[in-house]
Amino acid sequence: MKNTKEMRTWLDDLQLNHPLVIAGPCSAETENQVLKIAHELKDTDVNYYRAGIWKPRTRPGNFEGVGALGLKWLQKVKEETGLKTATEVANRTHVELALEHDIDLLWIGARSTVSPFIVQEIADALKGTDKIVLVKNPVNPDLPLWLGAIERLNSADIKNLGVIHRGFSTYEKSKYRNNPEWQIAIELQTRFPDLPLINDPSHITGKRDMIFDVSQTALDLNFDGLMIETHVDPDNAWSDAAQQVTPDRLVQIMQDLRIRKETDPEADYNNQLNNLRAQIDVVDHQLIELLGKRMKVADGIGQLKKQKNVAVLQSKRWNEILGKMVLEGSDNGLSEEFVLRLFKAIHQESINHQEKIINK
Ligand code: PEP
Ligand code: MN
């Protein structure tokens, strides 16, 4: 990879005193809708006006976007409001049309990032551009795929790069539409500390009332900006209705977020501390979820033992687990004493669960 410092020039040049804000509807629906929302966002913190023109839908038959016609509406947005414009591109033709219509920021959607063929086609079509290009994470939690897309764009001499974290799909039920898996974004940030990192709480949550909390976590983790889907009539939006907010709500969210931007040494220290604490919160949350998952599996074993009338405790199996975990613990910098105490507590909880099941 080339010097990643260069990649953030576009963001530094904006000299913002708040996180970068990309807002606008999930989809451009009508000229009137696009212009109305833009006018309501004109005198806010919004830096780029987004609208999906070509909509990748999971299954055919849903609204698939107005197509190139919508690019004319975005041009009008720029003329009438001065807002810079942003849209998703998913192939060479999209790129050519977006460039013809002077779209300022192009993003690659989650469904495209999964395909190196598509990413390469887009990179070739954009070769050498000075437009801003943002890469959404792939649909599946696969960091190398995300990195690969960034590298392809970087190799095509696209200087003004950034990434958008929009969460990852999961087969398991979750309170999110797309699980944040914050650790993946944190790892990307650690590898490319200069690459602007934008959070998309709309697609992570799928629900407008969760957007604030996810945005706050993102800012605590030092994200550089937010992409928030915004619509004048969210409930009647033609796509992603449940996750869009009104322009008024967007302004309120931006006002309420705790934004740390001071640069004195004390503030620096606090920033770092907050960032690390936010990372701890993410890991703690994962720990609890994993322990819950483990306990569910133990419950399943309890049911089986009940059917076969087998005793809850099999000490041979248990000693094997302990021995294995002590070794793995030591590989991960954990003392034997700690691993033993931890696993005894976990084991006790499993036994309690299984006792309950067997004696039901
Ligand atoms: C979008 O931003 O409207 C979109 C389709 O997002 P994603 O690629 O993250 O699903
Ligand atoms: Mn959307």
Side-chain angles (χ1 to χ4, degrees):
M1 284 278 282
K2 292 179 202 139
N3 180 6
T4 57
K5 274 238 158 57
E6 258 183 32
M7 293 178 183
R8 63 176 305 116
T9 316
W10 65 272
L11 184 59
D12 294 340
D13 284 351
L14 291 173
Q15 297 194 323
L16 302 176
N17 61 354
H18 58 77
L20 179 85
V21 187
I22 305 170
C26 175
S27 303
E29 298 164 3
T30 64
E31 179 171 351
N32 189 36
Q33 171 247 16
V34 167
L35 289 170
K36 200 161 169 213
I37 301 169
H39 278 280
E40 293 208 16
L41 293 177
K42 178 172 172 250
D43 296 315
T44 66
D45 280 349
V46 173
N47 305 106
Y48 286 88
Y49 184 78
R50 66 152 282 157
I53 301 294
W54 300 282
K55 297 304 299 177
R57 306 313 298 271
T58 305
R59 303 191 56 191
N62 293 315
F63 173 59
E64 296 201 324
V66 292
L69 172 66
L71 294 169
K72 299 244 179 310
W73 306 341
L74 284 176
Q75 270 188 313
K76 250 191 168 159
V77 164
K78 194 155 31 177
E79 281 161 26
E80 289 188 15
T81 67
L83 282 167
K84 293 195 205 115
T85 53
T87 201
E88 172 176 348
V89 288
N91 60 37
R92 172 178 291 279
T93 313
H94 294 170
V95 170
E96 285 165 3
L97 285 166
L99 293 180
E100 263 170 43
H101 290 80
D102 201 27
I103 299 294
D104 302 287
L105 181 158
L106 296 80
W107 80 82
I108 299 182
R111 290 163 192 77
S112 303
T113 311
V114 292
S115 164
F117 284 124
I118 286 292
V119 173
Q120 192 58 54
E121 177 178 320
I122 296 172
D124 292 342
L126 280 168
K127 200 166 178 51
T129 186
D130 52 12
K131 298 285 185 191
I132 296 159
V133 183
L134 305 182
V135 190
K136 284 200 168 196
N137 65 252
V139 174
N140 50 321
D142 185 333
L143 180 62
L145 215 39
W146 201 3
L147 295 174
I150 300 162
E151 285 157 1
R152 281 176 200 279
L153 294 167
N154 186 249
S155 304
D157 265 337
I158 298 159
K159 284 171 275 307
N160 300 320
L161 279 178
V163 289
I164 303 174
H165 168 234
R166 52 77 82 191
F168 302 87
S169 88
T170 149
Y171 188 63
E172 284 170 25
K173 218 168 133 324
S174 145
K175 67 173 177 170
Y176 299 102
R177 177 178 178 198
N178 292 291
N179 258 347
E181 312 278 8
W182 292 103
Q183 75 286 358
I184 297 181
I186 292 169
E187 198 169 330
L188 184 104
Q189 195 183 37
T190 312
R191 299 228 197 153
F192 299 127
D194 300 313
L195 189 62
L197 174 59
I198 316 293
N199 182 257
D200 174 348
S202 309
H203 289 89
I204 289 179
T205 62
K207 283 184 219 72
R208 66 181 71 100
D209 60 354
M210 291 166 68
I211 286 179
F212 178 83
D213 285 346
V214 167
S215 304
Q216 186 63 63
T217 302
L219 296 189
D220 292 342
L221 289 167
N222 278 351
F223 277 60
D224 298 290
L226 298 167
M227 178 190 254
I228 301 184
E229 288 188 337
T230 310
H231 195 292
V232 276
D233 185 7
D235 284 331
N236 291 308
W238 297 3
S239 58
D240 289 351
Q243 70 191 33
Q244 304 204 53
V245 296
T246 60
D248 280 351
R249 177 66 193 136
L250 178 75
V251 168
Q252 192 63 48
I253 289 174
M254 294 314 297
Q255 248 174 44
D256 293 346
L257 285 170
R258 279 172 281 121
I259 298 162
R260 302 180 184 84
K261 52 181 189 261
E262 302 91 323
T263 50
D264 65 276
E266 192 56 24
D268 259 4
Y269 156 81
N270 279 323
N271 272 348
Q272 281 181 31
L273 192 66
N274 278 322
N275 175 271
L276 292 171
R277 284 187 172 150
Q279 292 191 36
I280 291 272
D281 288 349
V282 168
V283 177
D284 283 349
H285 169 78
Q286 289 173 331
L287 279 177
I288 288 287
E289 266 192 358
L290 277 177
L291 287 172
K293 241 187 232 169
R294 189 189 193 284
M295 221 44 77
K296 287 224 170 66
V297 178
D299 287 351
I301 296 179
Q303 302 281 6
L304 265 181
K305 287 178 177 169
K306 181 182 166 86
Q307 280 167 23
K308 297 284 169 211
N309 203 21
V310 173
V312 162
L313 182 66
Q314 270 91 40
S315 30
K316 183 163 166 279
R317 157 88 180 141
W318 174 234
N319 284 328
E320 277 168 16
I321 295 185
L322 276 185
K324 233 176 22 195
M325 288 304 106
V326 166
L327 284 179
E328 281 191 28
S330 126
D331 287 347
N332 285 281
L334 304 172
S335 72
E336 174 169 349
E337 189 220 341
F338 170 70
V339 172
L340 288 177
R341 261 195 296 144
L342 177 68
F343 272 84
K344 277 183 188 150
I346 292 174
H347 191 228
Q348 188 56 57
E349 180 74 2
S350 291
I351 290 180
N352 295 348
H353 270 236
Q354 295 189 358
E355 286 285 350
K356 252 195 223 142
I357 290 168
I358 286 190
N359 296 315
K360 221 195 280 173

PDB file of all heavy atoms in Angstrom, residues 25-27 50 52 55-57 88 107 111 136 177 200 202-203 229 239-241 243-244, ligand 2:
ATOM      1  N   PRO A  25     -31.469  10.460   1.627  1.00  0.00           N
ATOM      2  CA  PRO A  25     -32.320   9.273   1.622  1.00  0.00           C
ATOM      3  C   PRO A  25     -31.579   8.014   1.213  1.00  0.00           C
ATOM      4  O   PRO A  25     -30.573   8.077   0.517  1.00  0.00           O
ATOM      5  CB  PRO A  25     -33.381   9.619   0.576  1.00  0.00           C
ATOM      6  CG  PRO A  25     -32.695  10.558  -0.352  1.00  0.00           C
ATOM      7  CD  PRO A  25     -31.760  11.358   0.505  1.00  0.00           C
ATOM      8  N   CYS A  26     -32.106   6.878   1.641  1.00  0.00           N
ATOM      9  CA  CYS A  26     -31.585   5.600   1.158  1.00  0.00           C
ATOM     10  C   CYS A  26     -31.640   5.646  -0.365  1.00  0.00           C
ATOM     11  O   CYS A  26     -30.631   5.458  -1.036  1.00  0.00           O
ATOM     12  CB  CYS A  26     -32.444   4.460   1.709  1.00  0.00           C
ATOM     13  SG  CYS A  26     -31.966   2.857   1.050  1.00  0.00           S
ATOM     14  N   SER A  27     -32.834   5.945  -0.913  1.00  0.00           N
ATOM     15  CA  SER A  27     -32.994   5.982  -2.370  1.00  0.00           C
ATOM     16  C   SER A  27     -33.526   7.328  -2.829  1.00  0.00           C
ATOM     17  O   SER A  27     -34.407   7.913  -2.173  1.00  0.00           O
ATOM     18  CB  SER A  27     -34.029   4.953  -2.822  1.00  0.00           C
ATOM     19  OG  SER A  27     -33.673   3.675  -2.413  1.00  0.00           O
ATOM     20  N   ARG A  50     -26.256  12.223   0.270  1.00  0.00           N
ATOM     21  CA  ARG A  50     -26.305  10.898  -0.333  1.00  0.00           C
ATOM     22  C   ARG A  50     -27.697  10.591  -0.894  1.00  0.00           C
ATOM     23  O   ARG A  50     -28.702  11.066  -0.353  1.00  0.00           O
ATOM     24  CB  ARG A  50     -25.944   9.793   0.660  1.00  0.00           C
ATOM     25  CG  ARG A  50     -26.942   9.612   1.807  1.00  0.00           C
ATOM     26  CD  ARG A  50     -26.960   8.178   2.354  1.00  0.00           C
ATOM     27  NE  ARG A  50     -27.708   7.274   1.489  1.00  0.00           N
ATOM     28  CZ  ARG A  50     -27.562   5.971   1.447  1.00  0.00           C
ATOM     29  NH1 ARG A  50     -26.680   5.396   2.240  1.00  0.00           N
ATOM     30  NH2 ARG A  50     -28.292   5.231   0.640  1.00  0.00           N
ATOM     31  N   GLY A  52     -29.260   6.899  -3.026  1.00  0.00           N
ATOM     32  CA  GLY A  52     -29.017   5.713  -3.843  1.00  0.00           C
ATOM     33  C   GLY A  52     -29.805   5.828  -5.145  1.00  0.00           C
ATOM     34  O   GLY A  52     -31.004   6.114  -5.142  1.00  0.00           O
ATOM     35  N   LYS A  55     -30.237   0.640  -6.730  1.00  0.00           N
ATOM     36  CA  LYS A  55     -30.376  -0.004  -5.420  1.00  0.00           C
ATOM     37  C   LYS A  55     -30.185  -1.509  -5.514  1.00  0.00           C
ATOM     38  O   LYS A  55     -30.964  -2.194  -6.185  1.00  0.00           O
ATOM     39  CB  LYS A  55     -31.773   0.281  -4.838  1.00  0.00           C
ATOM     40  CG  LYS A  55     -32.045   1.735  -4.565  1.00  0.00           C
ATOM     41  CD  LYS A  55     -31.019   2.375  -3.652  1.00  0.00           C
ATOM     42  CE  LYS A  55     -30.962   1.744  -2.284  1.00  0.00           C
ATOM     43  NZ  LYS A  55     -29.881   2.358  -1.462  1.00  0.00           N
ATOM     44  N   PRO A  56     -29.152  -2.000  -4.860  1.00  0.00           N
ATOM     45  CA  PRO A  56     -28.977  -3.453  -4.859  1.00  0.00           C
ATOM     46  C   PRO A  56     -29.956  -4.039  -3.851  1.00  0.00           C
ATOM     47  O   PRO A  56     -29.866  -3.780  -2.667  1.00  0.00           O
ATOM     48  CB  PRO A  56     -27.543  -3.614  -4.340  1.00  0.00           C
ATOM     49  CG  PRO A  56     -27.310  -2.397  -3.479  1.00  0.00           C
ATOM     50  CD  PRO A  56     -28.232  -1.319  -3.958  1.00  0.00           C
ATOM     51  N   ARG A  57     -30.924  -4.780  -4.291  1.00  0.00           N
ATOM     52  CA  ARG A  57     -31.888  -5.357  -3.363  1.00  0.00           C
ATOM     53  C   ARG A  57     -31.614  -6.839  -3.234  1.00  0.00           C
ATOM     54  O   ARG A  57     -31.216  -7.503  -4.190  1.00  0.00           O
ATOM     55  CB  ARG A  57     -33.330  -5.123  -3.839  1.00  0.00           C
ATOM     56  CG  ARG A  57     -33.644  -3.657  -4.111  1.00  0.00           C
ATOM     57  CD  ARG A  57     -33.180  -2.721  -2.992  1.00  0.00           C
ATOM     58  NE  ARG A  57     -33.835  -2.995  -1.727  1.00  0.00           N
ATOM     59  CZ  ARG A  57     -34.970  -2.437  -1.360  1.00  0.00           C
ATOM     60  NH1 ARG A  57     -35.558  -1.558  -2.130  1.00  0.00           N
ATOM     61  NH2 ARG A  57     -35.514  -2.746  -0.206  1.00  0.00           N
ATOM     62  N   GLU A  88     -23.942   5.490  -4.628  1.00  0.00           N
ATOM     63  CA  GLU A  88     -23.283   4.184  -4.734  1.00  0.00           C
ATOM     64  C   GLU A  88     -23.090   3.801  -6.195  1.00  0.00           C
ATOM     65  O   GLU A  88     -23.990   3.983  -7.016  1.00  0.00           O
ATOM     66  CB  GLU A  88     -24.149   3.109  -4.048  1.00  0.00           C
ATOM     67  CG  GLU A  88     -23.611   1.705  -4.282  1.00  0.00           C
ATOM     68  CD  GLU A  88     -24.380   0.604  -3.550  1.00  0.00           C
ATOM     69  OE1 GLU A  88     -25.195   0.909  -2.666  1.00  0.00           O
ATOM     70  OE2 GLU A  88     -24.144  -0.578  -3.884  1.00  0.00           O
ATOM     71  N   TRP A 107     -19.435   5.677  -3.438  1.00  0.00           N
ATOM     72  CA  TRP A 107     -19.102   4.590  -2.521  1.00  0.00           C
ATOM     73  C   TRP A 107     -19.415   3.238  -3.156  1.00  0.00           C
ATOM     74  O   TRP A 107     -20.272   3.117  -4.026  1.00  0.00           O
ATOM     75  CB  TRP A 107     -19.788   4.758  -1.165  1.00  0.00           C
ATOM     76  CG  TRP A 107     -21.214   4.344  -1.043  1.00  0.00           C
ATOM     77  CD1 TRP A 107     -21.693   3.078  -0.838  1.00  0.00           C
ATOM     78  CD2 TRP A 107     -22.371   5.200  -1.092  1.00  0.00           C
ATOM     79  NE1 TRP A 107     -23.065   3.096  -0.750  1.00  0.00           N
ATOM     80  CE2 TRP A 107     -23.511   4.382  -0.905  1.00  0.00           C
ATOM     81  CE3 TRP A 107     -22.555   6.579  -1.257  1.00  0.00           C
ATOM     82  CZ2 TRP A 107     -24.809   4.899  -0.878  1.00  0.00           C
ATOM     83  CZ3 TRP A 107     -23.846   7.088  -1.244  1.00  0.00           C
ATOM     84  CH2 TRP A 107     -24.951   6.244  -1.061  1.00  0.00           C
ATOM     85  N   ARG A 111     -22.508  -5.183  -0.962  1.00  0.00           N
ATOM     86  CA  ARG A 111     -22.682  -6.350  -1.833  1.00  0.00           C
ATOM     87  C   ARG A 111     -21.657  -6.379  -2.947  1.00  0.00           C
ATOM     88  O   ARG A 111     -21.435  -7.417  -3.572  1.00  0.00           O
ATOM     89  CB  ARG A 111     -24.103  -6.377  -2.392  1.00  0.00           C
ATOM     90  CG  ARG A 111     -25.138  -6.685  -1.339  1.00  0.00           C
ATOM     91  CD  ARG A 111     -26.544  -6.302  -1.802  1.00  0.00           C
ATOM     92  NE  ARG A 111     -27.475  -6.351  -0.685  1.00  0.00           N
ATOM     93  CZ  ARG A 111     -27.555  -5.417   0.251  1.00  0.00           C
ATOM     94  NH1 ARG A 111     -26.761  -4.344   0.194  1.00  0.00           N
ATOM     95  NH2 ARG A 111     -28.398  -5.525   1.254  1.00  0.00           N
ATOM     96  N   LYS A 136     -17.500   0.389   1.458  1.00  0.00           N
ATOM     97  CA  LYS A 136     -18.241  -0.211   2.576  1.00  0.00           C
ATOM     98  C   LYS A 136     -17.661  -1.585   2.883  1.00  0.00           C
ATOM     99  O   LYS A 136     -17.101  -2.245   1.994  1.00  0.00           O
ATOM    100  CB  LYS A 136     -19.718  -0.336   2.203  1.00  0.00           C
ATOM    101  CG  LYS A 136     -20.457   1.001   2.274  1.00  0.00           C
ATOM    102  CD  LYS A 136     -21.948   0.766   2.391  1.00  0.00           C
ATOM    103  CE  LYS A 136     -22.672   2.041   2.756  1.00  0.00           C
ATOM    104  NZ  LYS A 136     -24.028   1.810   3.244  1.00  0.00           N
ATOM    105  N   ARG A 177     -29.659  -5.030  12.510  1.00  0.00           N
ATOM    106  CA  ARG A 177     -29.911  -5.540  11.159  1.00  0.00           C
ATOM    107  C   ARG A 177     -28.623  -6.168  10.630  1.00  0.00           C
ATOM    108  O   ARG A 177     -28.630  -7.212  10.000  1.00  0.00           O
ATOM    109  CB  ARG A 177     -30.353  -4.383  10.256  1.00  0.00           C
ATOM    110  CG  ARG A 177     -30.575  -4.803   8.831  1.00  0.00           C
ATOM    111  CD  ARG A 177     -31.054  -3.629   7.980  1.00  0.00           C
ATOM    112  NE  ARG A 177     -31.225  -4.040   6.600  1.00  0.00           N
ATOM    113  CZ  ARG A 177     -31.288  -3.213   5.583  1.00  0.00           C
ATOM    114  NH1 ARG A 177     -31.220  -1.897   5.795  1.00  0.00           N
ATOM    115  NH2 ARG A 177     -31.427  -3.657   4.362  1.00  0.00           N
ATOM    116  N   ASP A 200     -21.862   3.780   9.555  1.00  0.00           N
ATOM    117  CA  ASP A 200     -23.210   3.860   8.979  1.00  0.00           C
ATOM    118  C   ASP A 200     -24.186   3.199   9.951  1.00  0.00           C
ATOM    119  O   ASP A 200     -24.495   2.006   9.849  1.00  0.00           O
ATOM    120  CB  ASP A 200     -23.207   3.142   7.618  1.00  0.00           C
ATOM    121  CG  ASP A 200     -24.598   3.027   6.990  1.00  0.00           C
ATOM    122  OD1 ASP A 200     -25.600   3.293   7.670  1.00  0.00           O
ATOM    123  OD2 ASP A 200     -24.663   2.650   5.804  1.00  0.00           O
ATOM    124  N   SER A 202     -27.259   3.543  10.262  1.00  0.00           N
ATOM    125  CA  SER A 202     -28.567   3.204   9.681  1.00  0.00           C
ATOM    126  C   SER A 202     -28.597   1.740   9.281  1.00  0.00           C
ATOM    127  O   SER A 202     -29.520   1.002   9.629  1.00  0.00           O
ATOM    128  CB  SER A 202     -28.857   4.075   8.457  1.00  0.00           C
ATOM    129  OG  SER A 202     -28.679   5.424   8.772  1.00  0.00           O
ATOM    130  N   HIS A 203     -27.563   1.320   8.520  1.00  0.00           N
ATOM    131  CA  HIS A 203     -27.568  -0.070   8.066  1.00  0.00           C
ATOM    132  C   HIS A 203     -27.149  -1.042   9.168  1.00  0.00           C
ATOM    133  O   HIS A 203     -27.490  -2.225   9.108  1.00  0.00           O
ATOM    134  CB  HIS A 203     -26.714  -0.235   6.799  1.00  0.00           C
ATOM    135  CG  HIS A 203     -27.376   0.389   5.600  1.00  0.00           C
ATOM    136  ND1 HIS A 203     -27.189   1.694   5.266  1.00  0.00           N
ATOM    137  CD2 HIS A 203     -28.284  -0.106   4.726  1.00  0.00           C
ATOM    138  CE1 HIS A 203     -27.942   1.983   4.201  1.00  0.00           C
ATOM    139  NE2 HIS A 203     -28.611   0.906   3.852  1.00  0.00           N
ATOM    140  N   GLU A 229     -29.013   7.742   7.042  1.00  0.00           N
ATOM    141  CA  GLU A 229     -30.081   7.875   6.054  1.00  0.00           C
ATOM    142  C   GLU A 229     -31.186   8.807   6.583  1.00  0.00           C
ATOM    143  O   GLU A 229     -31.697   8.603   7.691  1.00  0.00           O
ATOM    144  CB  GLU A 229     -30.657   6.495   5.709  1.00  0.00           C
ATOM    145  CG  GLU A 229     -29.680   5.689   4.879  1.00  0.00           C
ATOM    146  CD  GLU A 229     -30.241   4.393   4.328  1.00  0.00           C
ATOM    147  OE1 GLU A 229     -31.226   3.861   4.897  1.00  0.00           O
ATOM    148  OE2 GLU A 229     -29.701   3.898   3.326  1.00  0.00           O
ATOM    149  N   SER A 239     -37.509   2.511   0.303  1.00  0.00           N
ATOM    150  CA  SER A 239     -36.576   1.461   0.750  1.00  0.00           C
ATOM    151  C   SER A 239     -36.093   1.837   2.147  1.00  0.00           C
ATOM    152  O   SER A 239     -36.018   3.028   2.490  1.00  0.00           O
ATOM    153  CB  SER A 239     -35.392   1.336  -0.220  1.00  0.00           C
ATOM    154  OG  SER A 239     -34.712   2.565  -0.334  1.00  0.00           O
ATOM    155  N   ASP A 240     -35.766   0.839   2.946  1.00  0.00           N
ATOM    156  CA  ASP A 240     -35.205   1.054   4.286  1.00  0.00           C
ATOM    157  C   ASP A 240     -35.988   2.061   5.144  1.00  0.00           C
ATOM    158  O   ASP A 240     -35.393   2.906   5.829  1.00  0.00           O
ATOM    159  CB  ASP A 240     -33.733   1.477   4.185  1.00  0.00           C
ATOM    160  CG  ASP A 240     -32.839   0.321   3.745  1.00  0.00           C
ATOM    161  OD1 ASP A 240     -33.337  -0.831   3.682  1.00  0.00           O
ATOM    162  OD2 ASP A 240     -31.657   0.557   3.463  1.00  0.00           O
ATOM    163  N   ALA A 241     -37.313   1.949   5.131  1.00  0.00           N
ATOM    164  CA  ALA A 241     -38.154   2.928   5.839  1.00  0.00           C
ATOM    165  C   ALA A 241     -37.853   2.967   7.346  1.00  0.00           C
ATOM    166  O   ALA A 241     -37.765   4.042   7.935  1.00  0.00           O
ATOM    167  CB  ALA A 241     -39.617   2.607   5.601  1.00  0.00           C
ATOM    168  N   GLN A 243     -35.292   2.582   9.111  1.00  0.00           N
ATOM    169  CA  GLN A 243     -34.007   3.063   9.630  1.00  0.00           C
ATOM    170  C   GLN A 243     -33.699   4.511   9.240  1.00  0.00           C
ATOM    171  O   GLN A 243     -32.624   5.012   9.531  1.00  0.00           O
ATOM    172  CB  GLN A 243     -32.875   2.152   9.141  1.00  0.00           C
ATOM    173  CG  GLN A 243     -32.578   2.264   7.655  1.00  0.00           C
ATOM    174  CD  GLN A 243     -31.655   1.167   7.160  1.00  0.00           C
ATOM    175  OE1 GLN A 243     -31.696   0.048   7.654  1.00  0.00           O
ATOM    176  NE2 GLN A 243     -30.792   1.486   6.214  1.00  0.00           N
ATOM    177  N   GLN A 244     -34.652   5.184   8.580  1.00  0.00           N
ATOM    178  CA  GLN A 244     -34.355   6.567   8.178  1.00  0.00           C
ATOM    179  C   GLN A 244     -34.893   7.540   9.223  1.00  0.00           C
ATOM    180  O   GLN A 244     -35.896   7.276   9.875  1.00  0.00           O
ATOM    181  CB  GLN A 244     -34.957   6.856   6.808  1.00  0.00           C
ATOM    182  CG  GLN A 244     -34.460   5.849   5.780  1.00  0.00           C
ATOM    183  CD  GLN A 244     -34.517   6.359   4.349  1.00  0.00           C
ATOM    184  OE1 GLN A 244     -33.995   7.413   4.048  1.00  0.00           O
ATOM    185  NE2 GLN A 244     -35.151   5.600   3.483  1.00  0.00           N
TER     186      GLN A 244
HETATM  187 MN    MN B   2     -30.355   1.894   2.574  1.00  0.00          MN
END
